Amino acid sequence: MISRIAAIASAVFLDAIRRKVVWVVLLFSAVLAVAIPALPSYGAGVAQAVYREVALALVYAALVAVTLALAANRVPGEIERRTIYNVLARGVPRWEYLVGTWVGIVMTVGIVGLLFAVVAIGVGFVTYGAWMFTLLQGVFAIWLEAGVLAAFCMAVASVAGAVVVSVASVAFLFVTHARAGLFAPDTLGWKLYPSLDTFNIITPVAHGSGVSAGYLGLAVLVFAAWSGILLLISSAVFARRDL
Amino acid sequence: MKAQPADPSSGIPKIGPAIRIEGARKLYRGGHLAVSDVSLLVDQGTVHGLLGPNGAGKTTTLKMLLGLVAPTEGTFEILGQPAGPAMSRRLGFLPEQPYFPPLLTASQVMMFYGRLAGMDTAAIRERTSVLLSQVGLEGRGADLVSSFSRGLMQRLGIAQALVSSPELLILDEPASGLDPVGQRDIRNLILAQRELGITVLLSSHQLSEVEAVCDEVTILDSGRVAQRGAIDTLLNITGQNSVTARSSADQLPEKIASIVGDVVVGSGTWVFSIPAHDSRRVVDVLDDDQEWELVSIQPKRESLEDYFSHLVSTRAEGQVSR
């Protein structure tokens, strides 16, 4: 089971890492990162904090774009081109196919996030003479959220095409970040609302000293719960689908 | 290489069919009945052709067997066990118009499918080298799939189907998109698999290909089995023999002229059909006639193409009249 999932994940990774869109997004984001210090709104004393905030915002946009580019059409495209037939006809259970594909996408997004973090930390050091390693915390949290988004794409893609997956994914991000505007903190609605705000640590990373290891552990648990539920739903739905 | 039922006294377990499908039926959501009643038996070690016009239910039947489509009804067995993931791992499959991730190389594609089959890396590399050579892709292992033509993709598809040395091979239109040399290569490859004892289920529109390699065929039409049997049995025309003879004469001997039909003459070679029960008489007449040399006399065969066309059109007429 593990070897089949690993085989699918590595094939998805090898295919994804050669896609131009991944490198174009990374290059574009890196160029913007280099340009951040030139922003006119810089004030004395907050330059580094603004740099970190804008850098993390860029990472977020880049990883969401890469995740959607890789995940939205992965399953629908494989069904349309029939590459999925060869995989499933070899006795690969459908849930293994979905999980393997998801792992491959998450790996690719992770590499892109890591490369961007290296660029951002490097630019920060050259510009301000400070190693901003707390950026790694922010990139890690964003990567976890991208993983949840990829799992959501898998779930929708098990019944719909690429366009529906893309639209639904954007709506998903919007809804899961709308809690603060809908409920007051610590109300029942606040507690029950399906939110991805756990992964939003841009403020403590940009303006403070980052978050604790315990908080990152909690973020990993939230990631595992979200991804697990979404992959479970997608597997259950996909198992019944005629291909 | 056909598997025979073992002698009960020998203690060897009886080998079942490679594929057994009983009462397969598929009603899609929306009410489209793709397969209404298909039963199929493929003996081990044989090459079995699955034929039928477009929409006959061939692909849906294969998809149900492979678990790609959920059957509405029916029993599906592979190598004597209920069809499912565990049994599917013992077969190789080539879908119609195969396609692979375009940004993988041919070797990476082989590695991928080998790993899915549970093979170790060294074994996959060794097998890849042999198979790419066999299908005419020697030296192309490092090339991206996106650079492959349709024919090369087809060859790669056949190589990946064979990577795990399957006991059963299911090929959907294997010669599609190939040039004549490629078609011949694939035909030889299929025959080589049979020599190795591998069972092949071949779905094809290329009737000459089916006729050349298949031991048995099942013909589907409108979601049902229209005909099945050994190729030789289906194509032999009962009661007719085909005679080939050489002669410089410009007409047939008078004694047999009245019983001869379907005469074709070219470059001094005569081919004609006769009633089987008159064969002795025809042989005697040609032997006695100095102008004639008998080359061969054998049961007359229809081409699979003629047989198929006749069968399908007859069934269509039957449906119209009903």
Side-chain angles (χ1 to χ4, degrees):
Chain A
M1 176 190 80
I2 297 294
S3 66
R4 286 192 297 270
I5 291 175
I8 294 167
S10 66
V12 169
F13 175 75
L14 284 173
D15 183 58
I17 211 73
R18 288 176 177 149
R19 287 182 188 265
K20 282 183 191 144
V21 64
V22 172
W23 299 106
V24 167
V25 169
L26 184 63
L27 183 67
F28 185 65
S29 304
V31 168
L32 287 178
V34 171
I36 296 170
L39 287 174
S41 60
Y42 264 41
V46 296
Q48 289 186 35
V50 172
Y51 172 78
R52 284 193 293 268
E53 185 162 345
V54 177
L56 288 177
L58 274 176
V59 173
Y60 184 78
L63 293 199
V64 166
V66 170
T67 303
L68 287 179
L70 295 180
N73 196 35
R74 186 79 211 182
V75 175
E78 290 227 27
I79 293 170
E80 190 182 322
R81 294 191 301 263
R82 292 183 279 199
T83 45
I84 196 172
Y85 290 2
N86 268 335
V87 177
L88 300 182
R90 286 188 176 276
V92 176
R94 294 188 183 193
W95 73 267
E96 286 184 14
Y97 164 77
L98 287 176
V99 171
T101 303
W102 175 75
V103 170
I105 291 167
V106 171
M107 277 165 57
T108 311
V109 175
I111 295 291
V112 172
L114 192 62
L115 289 174
F116 192 92
V118 169
V119 170
I121 291 170
V123 171
F125 179 75
V126 169
T127 310
Y128 305 107
W131 293 109
M132 300 179 183
F133 289 118
T134 51
L135 280 173
L136 285 171
Q137 286 189 344
V139 173
F140 179 68
I142 291 168
W143 174 60
L144 292 179
E145 182 168 336
V148 173
L149 180 64
F152 180 80
C153 287
M154 295 285 118
V156 181
S158 62
V159 288
V163 175
V164 174
V165 176
S166 301
V167 173
S169 299
V170 172
F172 173 74
L173 284 179
F174 179 78
V175 168
T176 51
H177 285 293
R179 182 174 64 174
L182 296 172
F183 300 100
D186 294 330
T187 59
L188 186 63
W190 175 277
K191 286 172 183 164
L192 294 178
Y193 192 83
S195 171
L196 296 181
D197 287 342
T198 307
F199 305 114
N200 184 0
I201 58 171
I202 290 180
T203 302
V205 167
H207 301 282
S209 55
V211 294
S212 66
Y215 186 89
L216 286 179
L218 172 72
V220 170
L221 285 178
V222 172
F223 159 80
W226 268 101
S227 303
I229 291 168
L230 287 168
L231 289 172
L232 206 63
I233 292 169
S234 59
S235 298
V237 173
F238 199 51
R240 290 175 177 79
R241 183 169 174 184
D242 285 336
L243 298 171
Chain B
M1 293 296 283
K2 278 188 189 180
Q4 299 295 329
D7 178 356
S9 62
S10 69
I12 301 169
K14 183 180 173 181
I15 301 170
I19 295 173
R20 190 175 78 85
I21 299 175
E22 278 291 324
R25 175 181 160 87
K26 179 61 189 178
L27 181 66
Y28 282 104
R29 270 179 293 183
H32 170 57
L33 184 63
V35 172
S36 57
D37 181 16
V38 168
S39 295
L40 179 69
L41 203 64
V42 179
D43 288 328
Q44 290 200 26
T46 62
V47 180
H48 194 106
L50 189 61
L51 306 177
N54 292 333
K58 304 186 298 293
T59 299
T60 303
T61 301
L62 290 184
K63 282 183 173 180
M64 286 192 283
L65 179 68
L66 293 166
L68 298 172
V69 162
T72 308
E73 283 175 32
T75 306
F76 297 81
E77 286 181 4
I78 294 172
L79 300 167
Q81 301 290 322
M87 298 314 294
S88 292
R89 284 177 203 130
R90 293 167 64 182
L91 61 82
F93 174 56
L94 170 74
E96 186 179 0
Q97 295 179 15
Y99 194 84
F100 302 101
L103 298 178
L104 296 186
T105 65
S107 292
Q108 285 171 340
V109 166
M110 296 294 282
M111 182 63 69
F112 174 48
Y113 291 108
R115 287 179 68 192
L116 286 184
M119 297 170 72
D120 65 60
T121 306
I124 299 170
R125 288 213 176 101
E126 191 180 321
R127 191 95 177 112
T128 296
S129 165
V130 172
L131 287 171
L132 290 185
S133 169
Q134 277 184 5
V135 300
L137 289 177
E138 200 165 14
R140 304 293 302 265
D143 291 358
L144 289 177
V145 169
S146 57
S147 70
F148 280 15
S149 66
R150 170 109 189 273
L152 294 184
M153 200 84 87
Q154 192 79 13
R155 287 166 187 265
L156 181 60
I158 290 165
Q160 66 77 27
L162 290 168
V163 68
S164 58
S165 306
E167 296 163 67
L168 169 63
L169 203 51
I170 297 178
L171 307 175
D172 197 356
E173 300 290 348
S176 171
L178 293 179
D179 56 31
V181 175
Q183 291 179 17
R184 186 202 59 199
D185 290 348
I186 296 309
R187 204 159 46 230
N188 291 338
L189 200 64
I190 292 171
L191 292 172
Q193 301 312 307
R194 181 173 59 184
E195 291 303 310
L196 294 170
I198 295 169
T199 309
V200 181
L201 176 60
L202 171 70
S203 170
S204 179
H205 280 113
Q206 302 205 349
L207 301 179
S208 57
E209 174 189 48
V210 172
E211 193 173 347
V213 300
C214 290
D215 303 300
E216 294 187 322
V217 292
T218 297
I219 300 175
L220 302 186
D221 189 27
S222 306
R224 291 176 182 277
V225 174
Q227 191 59 270
R228 75 184 113 206
I231 284 260
D232 289 341
T233 309
L234 291 180
L235 301 186
N236 280 347
I237 297 174
T238 311
Q240 291 277 305
N241 280 349
S242 176
V243 178
T244 303
R246 286 202 192 92
S247 174
S248 55
D250 56 4
Q251 58 183 10
L252 285 159
E254 214 171 282
K255 288 178 183 170
I256 60 170
S258 61
I259 59 167
V260 164
D262 300 332
V263 182
V264 179
V265 188
S267 305
T269 300
W270 292 65
V271 180
F272 50 87
S273 57
I274 56 168
H277 58 80
D278 284 325
S279 297
R280 184 71 258 163
R281 196 171 123 210
V282 171
V283 170
D284 290 344
V285 168
L286 295 181
D287 277 349
D288 292 345
D289 194 324
Q290 298 294 319
E291 273 192 289
W292 289 84
E293 179 196 350
L294 179 62
V295 176
S296 69
I297 180 164
Q298 55 194 358
K300 189 176 178 188
R301 265 173 77 106
E302 205 170 9
S303 75
L304 186 57
E305 193 171 337
D306 290 340
Y307 180 82
F308 181 77
S309 305
H310 178 71
L311 181 74
V312 171
S313 60
T314 305
R315 286 176 64 85
E317 281 165 18
Q319 282 169 359
V320 169
S321 65
R322 278 200 297 274

